[in-house]
Amino acid sequence: MSEHIFINQAFTSAINLYLTNKQTPENPLFSSFPVMVIRTLINIYGELDIINPYRTNNENRMGGFDSNLTKFGFSKSKLQDFKITFQNCHDATQPLNLCIIKIEKYLIDMFFLRKKTVAITEEQIIEFKKYLYLSVNNNSIIQEQIRKYNVNNKIIDLYFESKLYESNHDYKFIVYKRNTLIPEAYSILGYNLDIISQMDEQTLNQLNDQILAFFKIDLRETNKMERLKEAIAYYKRYNHSFTSGNGYVDMLLLLSLIATVMMTLFAVTVKVLG
């Protein structure tokens, strides 16, 4: 009777090796790269999420391997590439060191996606590092394989540290618009880049014109940005707004700017909530 294939031969062989050797963890096979991949997945998702789909031959049905590995946000396209790359490692159809690095990066991605969803302790992070091909891993078998396959584990080290740093800081990436002014020009008037990112180009252009007018900068000048930097530096140094010498004109200019700000905020709010 032929062996049933779960996902591909790489996963089938690795899971079988894991199940055969889990009671004898001192066996070098239990720390071989294919088994370490399975053990790492189990560390991230739990044994039931990895082994049950194998036993029920459930790759992509509800409650199967695919849905389990994407439940924290790992994309289906990356999961598909993860499967293919693991098979490439098994077949040695690509340089093994590059396959290992790619697989390790995917596993790190999965872990930190879980960290975004579930509270992860410092002890769990330390434990997770024991499964990776890091330079600090004291597993002698893993270190032997790193040397044997010429794996540049500094790449994995840096990738892990960058993901750890990113996970510990509240980053929010926003779309950069080409016609965006210096951030301080907006912050002085109570704006932030999150609001700016939600404006369409036409609204942003109108606001930029008002801001330049507020700082007494002619829109036709070719060096508007340099003038704006100087104007902001002056504003911050003396901590007062510019004046035209005519209080009535200045008041109208400021009211016009405030009206633009309020209308823009209203428009953005309507777009976001609508």
Side-chain angles (χ1 to χ4, degrees), residues 85-137:
T85 304
F86 195 37
Q87 183 63 37
N88 289 339
C89 285
H90 178 272
D91 296 338
T93 55
Q94 294 179 359
L96 196 54
N97 56 347
L98 299 183
C99 285
I100 290 174
I101 289 173
K102 192 173 185 180
I103 288 290
E104 292 286 292
K105 285 183 175 181
Y106 277 147
L107 293 170
I108 291 169
D109 288 344
M110 293 175 194
F111 179 80
F112 284 106
L113 283 169
R114 178 193 170 199
K115 187 174 182 291
K116 285 184 178 181
T117 307
V118 181
I120 298 291
T121 66
E122 186 64 29
E123 290 73 21
Q124 287 174 300
I125 294 174
I126 293 171
E127 179 65 21
F128 176 68
K129 291 171 70 174
K130 295 177 182 179
Y131 295 85
L132 300 176
Y133 275 44
L134 300 170
S135 60
V136 295
N137 194 325

Side-chain angles (χ1 to χ4, degrees), residues 70-203:
T70 55
K71 67 181 180 181
F72 297 130
F74 194 64
S75 72
K76 291 183 179 179
S77 60
K78 287 185 176 180
L79 176 58
Q80 184 62 25
D81 191 54
F82 173 72
K83 295 176 183 178
I84 293 171
T85 304
F86 195 37
Q87 183 63 37
N88 289 339
C89 285
H90 178 272
D91 296 338
T93 55
Q94 294 179 359
L96 196 54
N97 56 347
L98 299 183
C99 285
I100 290 174
I101 289 173
K102 192 173 185 180
I103 288 290
E104 292 286 292
K105 285 183 175 181
Y106 277 147
L107 293 170
I108 291 169
D109 288 344
M110 293 175 194
F111 179 80
F112 284 106
L113 283 169
R114 178 193 170 199
K115 187 174 182 291
K116 285 184 178 181
T117 307
V118 181
I120 298 291
T121 66
E122 186 64 29
E123 290 73 21
Q124 287 174 300
I125 294 174
I126 293 171
E127 179 65 21
F128 176 68
K129 291 171 70 174
K130 295 177 182 179
Y131 295 85
L132 300 176
Y133 275 44
L134 300 170
S135 60
V136 295
N137 194 325
N138 59 11
N139 185 315
S140 60
I141 298 171
I142 287 178
Q143 290 300 328
E144 181 183 337
Q145 290 179 82
I146 288 172
R147 291 189 295 271
K148 178 181 178 181
Y149 301 125
N150 194 29
V151 178
N152 186 352
N153 55 1
K154 293 298 181 184
I155 296 175
I156 304 171
D157 289 352
L158 290 172
Y159 193 79
F160 177 85
E161 291 301 326
S162 69
K163 288 295 181 180
L164 177 61
Y165 184 87
E166 182 181 319
S167 74
N168 289 332
H169 295 78
D170 187 20
Y171 285 116
K172 186 174 183 181
F173 296 98
I174 58 177
V175 177
Y176 172 77
K177 291 182 168 62
R178 291 183 180 274
N179 59 338
T180 303
L181 299 176
I182 303 167
E184 287 175 301
Y186 302 109
S187 62
I188 285 173
L189 298 167
Y191 276 89
N192 59 52
L193 291 181
D194 185 41
I195 290 185
I196 297 301
S197 71
Q198 298 176 55
M199 293 181 183
D200 57 48
E201 298 289 335
Q202 183 179 358
T203 304

